[in-house]
Amino acid sequence: MDKGQFGIFISYRRADAAGYAGALKYCLQQRFPDAQVFRDFETIAAGRDFVDEIERGIRNADAVVCLIGQRWNHAADGIARLEQPDDHVAAEVAAALEKVKTVIPVLLEDTLMPAPQELPERVRKITGLNAAKLRDSEFEEDFEALATSLEQVRAGKGAKKLTGGEIVERFAAGEGAPDWVGRGGGLTGKAFKDDVATGSWKTQEYEVQFGGQLPSKNWFPAGQFVEKVKGAPT
């Protein structure tokens, strides 16, 4: 995914949502032709590590769309699939809830959002998020509502915020790192100096920009941010 490109990650369980995922990806590509829409087997090249590619896709996404069908949590024999330690859907959702600003649960057909107590703790937060719907009989209407929500996410991408910890993680991974970081007073201002001295830099949210010129004197290269916080308290 190109740095600064709008990214949408589709999380789904193939057993009950593969058809919806395929249709959704096609429609999203038509609606957002300049975006990167990630759908596992169509996006991951042969020979690449599946888990690593999924983690990279989520890390670089601006929005994660989680398709929830009747078998999202329970298999035909009643096994709670999200409870399994190696369940890739649970891992995707947990990573999305931790790293991505916008996570949109999408309930397929007449599926209801599971109760919080039905889900493992690492994905339980999804039950508190406002859900969209996707129904075959109302597909165009439902897709339009979902696309409108994603357009709002894209509109705010230019003024994106990341915590200091997220900035450092992206530099370490070598992907998805911003070019500029904004903080009142810039690199030598009191606000940023206090962040570094107190260790609050890791959870402090900073305005970030991908590409372009230095916005103002309150901004500085993200690489300098990483250098300044290296070895600082956390």
Side-chain angles (χ1 to χ4, degrees), residues 2 6 56 64-65 68 71 96 148 152 170 189 193 195 212:
D2 294 337
F6 183 53
R56 183 178 294 110
V64 173
V65 176
I68 300 176
R71 297 173 64 184
T148 298
Q152 293 172 350
R170 292 185 177 213
K193 285 184 176 180
D195 293 345

Side-chain angles (χ1 to χ4, degrees), residues 24-35 37 42 143:
L24 181 59
K25 180 178 181 182
Y26 174 81
C27 292
L28 287 172
Q29 288 176 324
Q30 301 305 304
R31 184 62 170 266
F32 303 96
D34 58 339
V37 182
E42 291 179 351
F143 174 75

Side-chain angles (χ1 to χ4, degrees), residues 8 12 110 133 139 142-143 150-151 158 169 173 215 232-233:
I8 305 169
Y12 69 103
D110 57 353
K133 290 182 177 292
F139 189 89
D142 291 345
F143 174 75
L150 290 169
E151 284 174 346
E169 286 179 2

Side-chain angles (χ1 to χ4, degrees), residues 113-195:
M113 179 67 77
Q117 62 270 22
E118 295 177 357
L119 302 179
E121 184 176 356
R122 62 176 177 162
V123 301
R124 196 168 295 162
K125 183 181 175 182
I126 199 170
T127 63
L129 302 179
N130 191 32
K133 290 182 177 292
L134 203 57
R135 299 161 292 183
D136 183 61
S137 61
E138 305 288 341
F139 189 89
E140 290 186 9
E141 179 182 341
D142 291 345
F143 174 75
E144 182 63 30
L146 175 59
T148 298
S149 296
L150 290 169
E151 284 174 346
Q152 293 172 350
V153 176
R154 182 174 64 172
K157 182 174 171 59
K160 189 169 184 176
K161 290 185 177 182
L162 293 173
T163 66
E166 289 171 331
I167 294 170
V168 171
E169 286 179 2
R170 292 185 177 213
F171 263 85
E175 285 190 286
D179 293 281
W180 306 101
V181 176
R183 188 73 162 122
L187 189 68
T188 59
K190 183 178 185 303
F192 182 62
K193 285 184 176 180
D194 286 347
D195 293 345

Side-chain angles (χ1 to χ4, degrees), residues 2 5 13 43 60 64 70 99 120 126 137 146 185 195 220 223:
D2 294 337
Q5 187 178 22
R13 193 176 294 286
T43 306
N60 293 335
V64 173
Q70 295 287 347
K99 299 180 182 300
I126 199 170
S137 61
L146 175 59
D195 293 345
F220 46 93

Side-chain angles (χ1 to χ4, degrees), residues 9 29 58 66 81 87 125 132 151-152 167 184 212 219 223 227:
F9 185 103
Q29 288 176 324
I58 290 175
C66 297
R81 302 183 72 175
D87 185 66
K125 183 181 175 182
E151 284 174 346
Q152 293 172 350
I167 294 170
W219 292 69
E227 286 299 317

Side-chain angles (χ1 to χ4, degrees), residues 70-85:
Q70 295 287 347
R71 297 173 64 184
W72 184 66
N73 188 27
H74 297 293
D77 54 6
I79 296 175
R81 302 183 72 175
L82 295 173
E83 296 281 1
Q84 305 304 310

